[in-house]
């Protein structure tokens, strides 16, 4: 039986230094040669996907944690933050002195001081994920975020999500209160140790996006396998027939997964594809 495979990107296909193991490339290509369908399912917007990843070859993409769904270059679903709401968010962030970037399929558009403000934040994030200190000492925003634009228009009608550097956890709590029509989250650390807050389209997640693809394919959930490493991947792993957690995953996803494989760096994706007889 041919399978429909959904792969998170950060911490699943690539490690937290954006290193892509050759074994992961081999696994994905061999699975597609066997007739399985393979989709990326990520928080990234399309502009944030480097050619190195696209060139592996995929049947489509779920981006913005579910706000964008594409099958073989056909857009099946795309829900953006309304412009009026987006303007209020940008103004609110600027009043609070919070640096941010706007995530769209056309680019990641940074606030004027984002590059400087994010240096210690992205380096702390990489170190917290186990990166080599020597590799992150010179890390810049454009190294961590593919598609970053530093002089673009900040009032935009094409946004999947908005991320901002937290000065404190209270910034996240206040954003949740200020914009109840959006989905407020954090990343880069657990709870009050989070480094970033984000605001995205409400009432959707990766599981919803998987269902959009299944509806388009007229396929059943029994054919689905999902791979992830983070709490935000849990709805996808729970929804699919088989949920696989990477060995570098957080405790919540490791506890609920049907199968746990090795880390990205230890060829976890390839090993799981073999164990699940996908290749």
């Amino acid at each position: 039986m041919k399978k429909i495979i959904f792969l998170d990107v950060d911490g699943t296909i690539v490690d937290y230094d954006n290193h892509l193991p050759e074994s992961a490339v081999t696994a994905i290509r061999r699975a597609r040669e066997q007739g399985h369908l393979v989709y990326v399912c990520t928080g990234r917007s399309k502009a944030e996907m480097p050619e190195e990843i696209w060139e592996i070859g995929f049947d489509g993409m779920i981006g913005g944690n579910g706000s964008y769904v594409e099958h073989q270059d056909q857009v099946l679903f795309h829900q953006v933050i309304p412009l009026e709401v987006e303007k209020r968010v940008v103004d609110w962030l600027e009043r609070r002195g919070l640096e941010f970037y706007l995530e769209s399929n056309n680019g990641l558009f940074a606030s004027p001081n984002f590059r400087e403000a994010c240096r210690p934040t992205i380096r702390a994030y990489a170190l917290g994920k186990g990166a080599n200190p020597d590799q992150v000492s010179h890390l810049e925003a454009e190294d961590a975020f593919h598609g970053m634009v530093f002089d673009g228009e900040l009032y935009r009608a094409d946004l999947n999500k908005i991320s901002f550097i937290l000065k404190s956890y209270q910034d996240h709590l206040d954003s949740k209160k200020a914009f109840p029509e959006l989905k407020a989250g954090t990343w880069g650390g657990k709870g009050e140790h989070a480094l970033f807050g984000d605001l995205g389209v409400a009432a959707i997640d990766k599981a919803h996006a998987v269902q959009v693809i299944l509806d388009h394919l007229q396929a059943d959930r029994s054919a689905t396998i999902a791979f992830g490493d983070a709490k935000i991947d849990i709805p996808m792993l729970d929804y699919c027939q088989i949920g696989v957690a990477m060995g570098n995953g957080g405790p919540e996803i490791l506890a609920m997964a049907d199968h746990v494989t090795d880390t990205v760096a230890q060829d976890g994706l390839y090993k799981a594809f073999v164990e699940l007889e996908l290749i």
Side-chain angles (χ1 to χ4, degrees), residues 4 42 46 84 90 106 137 142 157 168 235 253 260 268-269:
I4 307 169
T42 175
K46 195 169 184 178
E84 179 273 327
V90 168
N106 299 307
S137 60
E142 51 267 45
S168 74
I253 197 167
V260 177
L269 198 66

Side-chain angles (χ1 to χ4, degrees), residues 116-135:
E116 181 177 357
C118 82
R119 283 189 189 118
T121 307
I122 60 172
R123 292 171 187 177
Y125 174 67
L127 288 172
K129 291 294 188 178
N132 187 323
D134 294 334
Q135 294 177 317

Side-chain angles (χ1 to χ4, degrees), residues 3 221 224-227 237 240-244 258-259 276:
K3 300 297 184 182
R221 285 167 58 182
T224 57
I225 303 175
F227 291 73
L237 266 65
C240 290
Q241 182 69 23
I242 300 174
V244 183
D258 300 306
H259 182 88
L276 294 171

Side-chain angles (χ1 to χ4, degrees), residues 39-260:
Y39 299 84
V40 291
C41 190
T42 175
R44 298 190 188 205
S45 293
K46 195 169 184 178
E48 205 175 345
M49 295 285 288
E51 285 303 313
E52 181 186 30
I53 295 178
W54 276 128
E55 288 172 355
I56 299 171
F58 295 96
D59 294 284
M61 174 185 183
I62 293 169
N65 288 325
S67 65
Y68 177 77
V69 184
E70 176 184 294
H71 168 73
Q72 296 178 350
D73 296 323
Q74 178 184 356
V75 178
L76 305 181
F77 177 84
H78 193 193
Q79 190 168 341
V80 298
I81 298 173
L83 178 59
E84 179 273 327
V85 177
E86 189 270 354
K87 287 181 176 179
R88 288 196 289 114
V89 174
V90 168
D91 292 346
W92 184 84
L93 291 168
E94 290 180 337
R95 285 196 303 271
R96 292 179 73 104
L98 298 175
E99 299 301 326
F100 59 90
Y101 66 96
L102 311 173
E103 304 180 42
S104 86
N105 289 346
N106 299 307
L108 306 183
F109 299 90
S111 58
N113 299 313
F114 182 79
R115 177 189 272 125
E116 181 177 357
C118 82
R119 283 189 189 118
T121 307
I122 60 172
R123 292 171 187 177
Y125 174 67
L127 288 172
K129 291 294 188 178
N132 187 323
D134 294 334
Q135 294 177 317
V136 305
S137 60
H138 302 292
L139 195 64
E140 297 285 350
E142 51 267 45
D143 301 319
F145 306 110
H146 181 80
M148 186 68 72
V149 178
F150 292 101
D151 57 357
E153 173 60 51
L154 297 181
Y155 285 164
R156 310 188 61 86
D158 60 350
L159 298 191
N160 302 320
K161 193 155 57 94
I162 299 170
S163 285
F164 55 95
I165 300 171
L166 294 172
K167 290 183 178 178
S168 74
Y169 191 69
Q170 190 63 44
D171 293 324
H172 158 63
L173 297 176
D174 290 347
S175 74
K176 190 173 183 179
K177 183 177 180 180
F179 304 102
E181 66 270 57
L182 298 177
K183 179 168 62 177
T186 61
W187 58 278
K190 187 175 181 180
E192 295 189 2
H193 298 290
L195 298 172
F196 288 88
D198 62 28
L199 292 163
V201 178
I204 58 169
D205 57 19
K206 290 185 176 184
H208 171 268
V210 168
Q211 184 60 58
V212 170
I213 288 179
L214 294 182
D215 289 345
H216 177 76
L217 297 174
Q218 296 183 323
D220 190 82
R221 285 167 58 182
S222 62
T224 57
I225 303 175
F227 291 73
D229 73 304
K231 191 173 181 180
I232 200 164
D233 299 318
I234 289 176
M236 174 177 70
L237 266 65
D238 187 52
Y239 184 81
C240 290
Q241 182 69 23
I242 300 174
V244 183
M246 304 300 292
N248 46 268
E252 298 93 347
I253 197 167
L254 292 173
M256 61 76 60
D258 300 306
H259 182 88
V260 177

